[in-house]
Amino acid sequence: MQVQQQFTIVKEGNIASAKGFQAGGLHCGLRKKKVDLGWFYSEVPAEAAGVYTMNVFQAAPLKVTKESIAKENKLQAVVVNSAIANACTGEQGLQDAYDMRQLFAETVGIEEHLAAVASTGVIGELLPMDKLSQGISQIADKSNLGANKFETAILTTDTREKGIAVEVEIDGQTVTIGGAAKGSGMINPNMATMLGFVTTDAKVNAASLSTALKAITNKSFNMITVDGDTSTNDMVLVLANGLAENQSLTPEHPEWQSFFDALQFVCEYLAKEIARDGEGATRLVEVQVNGAVTDEAAAKIAKSIISSNLVKTAIHGADANWGRIITAIGYSGEPLDPDKVSISLGDILVVENGVPHPFDEDQAKEYLLEEEITIYAQLGDGNGKGIAWGCDLSYEYVRINASYRT
């Protein structure tokens, strides 16, 4: 295991790494061949928290999952289908989401309000409930178990699975936090088509878990963008089943920060993997902003830079066109002194105190051709800092989205 701060990254860790969790996936016919129905399950009810899309068109599964959590802030199992988003489907779509929850709860033997549902895929199509029902009925078959199958089942245009787990010691007990996510296009979360699921065997106070998730989401999932579009189906859920037998975690617990940091690392890792897997992407781009008036201002500026299509296309062409970065900073709406702004592409300084700094174009081009690049923006003497992640914008992105339904 690789040492990372106060926690360790579990080799081949996944959403089922924490005590008492299992996951699986199968093909039920929503897609031609690929696994398209996934689930994960806790042996006991778990404290639960969620964050959801800010799009006013919220898909039926989100409404149903919100109701489940609202009853007693607990969940025990989550079922997810890909291919069809069950969004903008009216009363029938909402009833299908309720039926999906009921069928799933009955199959795994839990109370209905302890089950959550999520969907991702094409908007405006009804779920083929006959296929979905048949698929749910096969969940008990142990041959369908496997976290890798879950990770595959939730994908749409993604090119790779996204999973991780870490371990951290709390009260002398080993606490594990695992996660899985999907997302490749329609990614500009305020809570994109993005789904994130995190499990832990830590014992955590429900209100504290919810507060932590919201704070961490604002520094992880909400700080990525692929194309500036916020989906109808975004959702991140965290389940904490307490089987690690630590003392209940709240911000007053002496090791709360260790837990918080580990949870934030898992969410940041998954967020960065989504950005790395952006539709047609060839680069993972990180933007670090320092010297802003506040952290909030720095975050907004970082997101403005990473969201600029002109910046993203310049990166794809390995063109050190720093004027596009300056422009994105300028229209962010945040206060700053233009004469104090400096910009670097990796270690290559291109703007110093608001004016061009001589640099080697060939060296800059070579850097921008790397798979991971970082843009640094120093705005002045403030204490505010923020980080955002995204990717380049390629010809392949246009091809994928021009034929998404075909």
Side-chain angles (χ1 to χ4, degrees):
M1 290 184 285
Q2 176 184 347
V3 176
Q4 178 70 34
Q5 298 182 16
Q6 299 301 311
F7 48 85
T8 55
I9 300 173
V10 179
K11 185 178 181 181
E12 298 182 0
N14 55 60
I15 196 168
S17 292
K19 293 184 185 74
F21 285 97
Q22 58 181 243
L26 56 84
H27 176 250
C28 70
L30 303 184
R31 309 186 72 169
K32 290 181 179 179
K33 295 181 180 179
K34 295 181 181 179
V35 178
D36 50 21
L37 180 67
W39 66 91
F40 64 94
Y41 171 87
S42 171
E43 292 176 5
V44 297
E47 303 295 337
V51 289
Y52 312 92
T53 183
M54 296 297 289
N55 194 312
V56 295
F57 289 96
Q58 293 204 346
L62 272 69
K63 298 176 183 178
V64 173
T65 292
K66 284 181 180 180
E67 286 185 18
S68 287
I69 294 178
K71 183 152 187 179
E72 54 177 333
N73 296 316
K74 291 183 184 294
L75 289 175
Q76 193 167 353
V78 180
V79 63
V80 190
N81 74 272
S82 58
I84 297 173
N86 193 12
C88 300
T89 46
E91 288 300 318
Q92 184 60 55
L94 185 59
Q95 186 59 53
D96 289 345
Y98 280 122
D99 290 346
M100 184 177 172
R101 181 179 69 172
Q102 181 183 2
L103 287 166
F104 177 58
E106 291 174 350
T107 299
V108 298
I110 62 176
E111 294 183 61
E112 191 171 336
H113 74 277
L114 293 175
V117 294
S119 300
T120 182
V122 177
I123 293 171
E125 293 186 10
L126 291 170
L127 291 169
M129 291 303 292
D130 54 340
K131 294 180 180 179
L132 199 58
S133 299
Q134 185 177 6
I136 291 174
S137 71
Q138 299 174 43
I139 284 175
D141 188 336
K142 292 185 178 180
S143 67
N144 294 317
L145 288 177
N148 61 318
K149 293 181 180 179
F150 174 80
E151 292 172 1
T152 303
I154 65 178
L155 305 183
T156 50
T157 57
D158 307 60
T159 65
R160 60 173 70 91
E161 292 78 12
K162 305 166 183 68
I164 190 176
V166 303
E167 292 178 349
V168 59
E169 188 170 302
I170 305 288
D171 295 325
Q173 305 293 331
T174 298
V175 165
T176 304
I177 305 172
K182 66 82 50 183
S184 186
M186 201 180 283
I187 302 292
N188 189 40
N190 271 316
M191 282 315 311
T193 165
M194 190 208 80
L195 298 175
F197 305 103
V198 179
T199 59
T200 179
D201 46 26
K203 186 176 183 181
V204 191
N205 169 272
S208 300
L209 185 66
S210 180
T211 299
L213 177 62
K214 289 174 182 176
I216 288 170
T217 295
N218 284 333
K219 291 189 174 183
S220 56
F221 295 111
N222 280 351
M223 290 305 294
I224 60 173
T225 186
V226 169
D227 48 23
D229 283 334
T230 299
S231 169
T232 55
N233 289 58
D234 297 358
M235 180 191 303
V236 177
L237 298 177
V238 178
L239 277 66
N241 67 15
L243 293 182
E245 299 183 345
N246 59 286
Q247 297 298 311
S248 184
L249 285 163
T250 68
E252 288 71 40
H253 189 289
E255 293 176 294
W256 169 258
Q257 195 62 47
S258 295
F259 172 77
F260 186 95
D261 290 347
L263 180 61
Q264 179 164 306
F265 178 84
V266 168
C267 291
E268 281 190 2
Y269 175 89
L270 294 173
K272 288 166 70 175
E273 286 301 289
I274 290 171
R276 188 192 305 275
D277 195 27
E279 289 172 342
T282 64
R283 323 270 206 289
L284 172 66
V285 185
E286 179 173 290
V287 175
Q288 294 190 22
V289 173
N290 291 283
V293 176
T294 63
D295 287 348
E296 291 74 17
K300 188 173 179 181
I301 292 168
K303 195 74 178 285
S304 181
I305 295 170
I306 203 66
S307 298
S308 166
N309 284 341
L310 290 179
V311 172
K312 290 155 70 69
T313 50
I315 291 169
H316 182 70
D319 179 8
N321 189 345
W322 54 262
R324 295 180 175 184
I325 300 172
I326 284 285
T327 300
I329 293 172
Y331 63 59
S332 68
E334 294 300 315
L336 56 89
D337 183 346
D339 293 333
K340 291 184 177 181
V341 174
S342 296
I343 297 169
S344 297
L345 305 176
D347 295 331
I348 305 168
L349 182 65
V350 295
V351 175
E352 186 174 23
N353 295 325
V355 296
H357 184 278
F359 65 95
D360 187 319
E361 288 278 0
D362 291 336
Q363 183 186 9
K365 183 178 183 66
E366 184 178 353
Y367 175 69
L368 292 175
L369 286 170
E370 294 182 9
E371 291 184 2
E372 297 186 15
I373 69 170
T374 303
I375 297 171
Y376 297 96
Q378 181 69 39
L379 305 183
D381 303 322
N383 295 320
K385 56 184 178 180
I387 302 178
W389 299 275
C391 58
D392 58 329
L393 187 59
S394 69
Y395 305 106
E396 183 67 4
Y397 175 86
V398 177
R399 187 197 66 76
I400 290 169
N401 283 283
S403 58
Y404 183 72
R405 295 198 306 160
T406 56

